Amino acid sequence: MAASLSATPAATPAAPSTGHALPLDLLIVGAGLAGLCMLHKARRQGLNALVIEAAGGVGGTWYFNRYPGARVDIQSMEYSFGFDEALQQHWHWTERYAAQPELLRYANHVADRFALRDAILLNTQLAGAAFDEASQRWRAVAEGGQAWAARFLVMASGPLSSPNQPDFPGLARYTGRVLHTARWPHEAVDFTGLRVGVIGTGSSAVQAIPVIAEVAAQVTVFQRTASYAVPAHNGPLDADFEAGIKADYAGFRARNQRMMGGFGSLQPPNLVSALAVSPEQRQAMFEERWRIGGFGLLGTFHDLIVNPAANELAAEFVRGKIRETVHNPATAEALCPRHPIGCKRLCVDTNYYATYNRPNVALVNLQTSPIEQFTPSGLVAGGLAHDVDALVLATGFDAMTGTLLKLNLRGRGGQTIQAKWQAGPLNYLGLTVAGFPNLFNIAGPGSTAAFTNVIVAIEHHVSWIADCIAHLDAHGLATIEANADAEAAWAVHVNTVAARTVYLSCNSWYLGANIPGKPRMFMPLFGYPAYVEKCAQVAAQGYAGFTLA
Ligand SMILES: Cc1cc2nc3c(=O)[nH]c(=O)nc-3n(C[C@H](O)[C@H](O)[C@H](O)COP(=O)(O)OP(=O)(O)OC[C@H]3O[C@@H](n4cnc5c(N)ncnc54)[C@H](O)[C@@H]3O)c2cc1C
């Protein structure tokens, strides 16, 4: 970290260039949708808040992930803010699943509509922050040396904002262009006539590969683990569908809130076991969901995520679709995932499997043909040289904890977040960390965010934090801090819930398994409505499980 960080009160923290009077109530890190929402809510509550953002613009995920084909996999009408009726009535999505440019326009619209920009410092990366016990304030320092003191530090720094750049030995020898999907250039990348290698087959790759293949001379996909993908059936947003939702947007949002993932009320899970129907009925029910597309496939039966035998029936249904779609039987077999469906994040695609029928697309199975070395012109896998003009790393993220663990973040007694989270991300309700008073984390581990429509999770977290601060202010209290026993019990709860599902049965980023050396701990909580109820209960009981002072 470039700037120095001390827990002793800085004499006079540098005033932000926005001219906001100090002291700050909230320092918010990140100007993605979470940071924007938190800033707006704080201001409406009369709090003095400042956002610092490392990037040159707002939008977070949608600022950085500009790769071809990048789009939401939750329907646009759901993946949007519900806190302002005029906003949701005004905004018009052009597609059923909005693409990155439109999502970025939406983030910018939110920033402009609610006049947020004067409290956002762009190109400002937090290096670290320490809780100063004497003044009961967070003292934060940016990489550039600017410093702030704030009562509350809100990490809106994103669950998927630290790209995973695997340490491929010898990659530096490759002289062609290397691009990471999560750090895509702002100018258009033209693959026309080029030979492109894509490493990784998670959600980003599944979206990018079909689009790249349309123009590239050759696409070679290097696959470590096959992905399940359900068709999006994307297209222009149907005007009647949009009007129908807008006629009662509040009701639509409320119905979604009652769903396990905070979305999908138009297609609720069938309340029947996959094991309780005949094979013919089962096939017909899977087909019906496949025809509609999207995550709803996992709701074809109520037990797909909790019963391995039921899950295998859904998995085999998708494998059947892969075999039906992909002409080359060996390629089809290599594309068939073997882990339980839904255990890793399900992909929502447009022509992913069919793309492997193109003569210019080849699959290299890294399970049987591992990467041996990189060369100036490409790489060697399974003894075969693959020369490529550009290499796309679709290698995902150091999810949920990667961004915080890069920081010099210190709580009481100078304890670092790295020491605190040595064995995994301990926290209470996913929102707070014992030993780190007045620190809030939005959409982080220990919450349902990763299993939820993240916008819904963000709005819930923002409201909870704002209400919590209002409670402290109303009672003349300065700090709130999770109790260690509540935190320990919460970690057990998150893992107990996961143990009732298929989520522990594969190596996913939910478990930290995609990052070498990362502690294996199941990070997200499953079940949004129960989580919301618990958070409300804690607040109603005067913040039970916390120490307020
Ligand atoms: C390609 C992709 C597709 C996705 N699709 C969906 C979807 O369909 N549905 C869904 O629910 N979720 C989806 N997600 C998850 C997505 O991350 C969230 O939906 C949402 O955008 C998260 O918003 P956020 O504001 O919490 O985080 P982000 O959008 O990640 O914003 C965090 C911001 O914090 C900034 N930041 C981080 N560290 C620092 C620092 N030290 N100093 C200053 N600034 C910092 C970052 O630069 C970033 O701008 C997707 C994620 C990706 C990567």
Side-chain angles (χ1 to χ4, degrees), residues 330-368:
T331 305
E333 232 25 65
L335 285 168
C336 283
R338 301 292 158 196
H339 54 273
I341 186 168
C343 181
K344 286 161 165 284
R345 190 176 166 94
L346 186 63
C347 301
V348 178
D349 79 295
T350 299
N351 295 331
Y352 175 62
Y353 297 123
T355 293
Y356 290 91
N357 293 331
R358 298 179 67 108
N360 66 333
V361 177
L363 182 70
V364 176
N365 184 353
L366 298 179
Q367 306 280 351
T368 50

Side-chain angles (χ1 to χ4, degrees), residues 30 32-34 53-54 60-62 64 72-73 79 126 156-158 397 403 454:
L33 292 166
E53 166 57 58
T61 292
W62 308 111
F64 286 109
V72 271
D73 49 22
Y79 187 87
L126 181 74
S157 47
F397 298 87
T403 304
V454 178

Side-chain angles (χ1 to χ4, degrees), residues 28-36 51-67 70-75 79 81 97-98 103 121 123-128 142-143 155-162 181-183 203-204 207 261 263 295 345 397 403-404 406-407 442-444 449-456 458 509:
I28 302 164
V29 183
L33 292 166
L36 297 177
V51 173
I52 57 172
E53 166 57 58
V58 304
T61 292
W62 308 111
Y63 177 89
F64 286 109
N65 292 265
R66 296 165 185 250
Y67 59 83
R71 63 178 69 249
V72 271
D73 49 22
I74 285 177
Q75 292 194 40
Y79 187 87
F81 286 126
Y97 293 92
L103 292 152
L121 285 183
N123 302 305
T124 306
Q125 181 159 351
L126 181 74
E143 290 290 355
M155 300 307 300
S157 47
L160 298 173
S161 54
S162 275
T181 47
R183 286 293 178 271
S203 286
S204 300
Q207 291 185 334
F263 71 100
F295 285 125
R345 190 176 166 94
F397 298 87
T403 304
L404 257 66
K406 281 192 186 130
L407 299 173
I442 300 181
F451 289 144
T452 310
N453 172 353
V454 178
I455 305 303
V456 168
I458 286 171
W509 58 254

